[in-house]
Amino acid sequence: MPGEDAVDPYVANNANAGAIPFKGEAMAVAFHGQDGIRRIVDGFVTRNFADPVIGEIFQGHDQARLRRTLFEQFCYILNAGCAYTGRDMRSSHKDLGTQHADMNRLVENLQKAMAEEGVSFPAQNRFLAKLAPMRKDTVDR
């Protein structure tokens, strides 16, 4: 995509998103549709790159690609009308050295971004429950 660094070829597939989408439109509405999801992703990515605890994990990463693929992933899982074109969770997080504490901080940053968008606490928890099983594919140690 324009503005993104090149990556090794892979097969794009919605299954790479790491979770089955919610049924119906309730979660997409709770997240204020694609515009709300985009604002959440933008806030989330900005927080992670600037975070004094986990920011170094993100240094050298393609912010444009990360924003796009996270948006697609969240939008797909929330059933807001998107397809996911990113890599699978295991290969996209390979060799990052992510620890459990890093993932906890990441979740805190996502919760802040969702709260800033006005997503209700129950809707946040439902979404986090969809993302939680991905931990096994994203944490190295």
Side-chain angles (χ1 to χ4, degrees):
M1 298 294 281
E4 295 181 13
D5 297 336
V7 296
D8 291 335
Y10 62 91
V11 176
N13 187 322
N14 283 330
N16 290 346
I20 296 169
F22 287 98
K23 294 186 186 304
E25 63 181 33
M27 286 298 285
V29 170
F31 279 70
H32 309 131
Q34 289 187 10
D35 290 340
I37 295 165
R38 190 168 309 282
R39 287 187 296 269
I40 290 166
V41 168
D42 285 342
F44 178 50
V45 170
T46 298
R47 276 182 175 83
N48 289 330
F49 272 86
D51 192 291
V53 176
I54 63 170
E56 69 183 49
I57 293 171
F58 293 91
Q59 287 181 7
H61 281 72
D62 182 348
Q63 277 196 54
R65 180 176 177 75
L66 181 61
R67 286 178 196 278
R68 179 181 60 79
T69 57
L70 276 176
F71 168 76
E72 290 175 357
Q73 182 188 37
F74 289 6
C75 184
Y76 172 74
I77 293 170
L78 291 164
N79 199 21
C82 300
Y84 178 67
T85 64
R87 293 177 293 175
D88 67 276
M89 296 302 101
R90 179 157 288 156
S91 59
S92 63
H93 293 85
K94 185 181 178 197
D95 299 327
L96 292 180
T98 309
Q99 300 177 37
H100 288 283
D102 301 327
M103 190 58 66
N104 292 341
R105 183 66 171 224
L106 191 85
V107 170
E108 290 171 11
N109 287 340
L110 178 54
Q111 288 172 309
K112 288 175 186 174
M114 291 187 293
E116 191 173 84
E117 178 61 26
V119 176
S120 72
F121 193 67
Q124 289 182 37
N125 283 339
R126 287 188 68 206
F127 185 54
L128 291 172
K130 281 275 194 186
L131 301 179
M134 294 179 209
R135 182 179 284 251
K136 69 181 175 14
D137 293 327
T138 58
V139 174
D140 286 337
R141 47 193 171 122

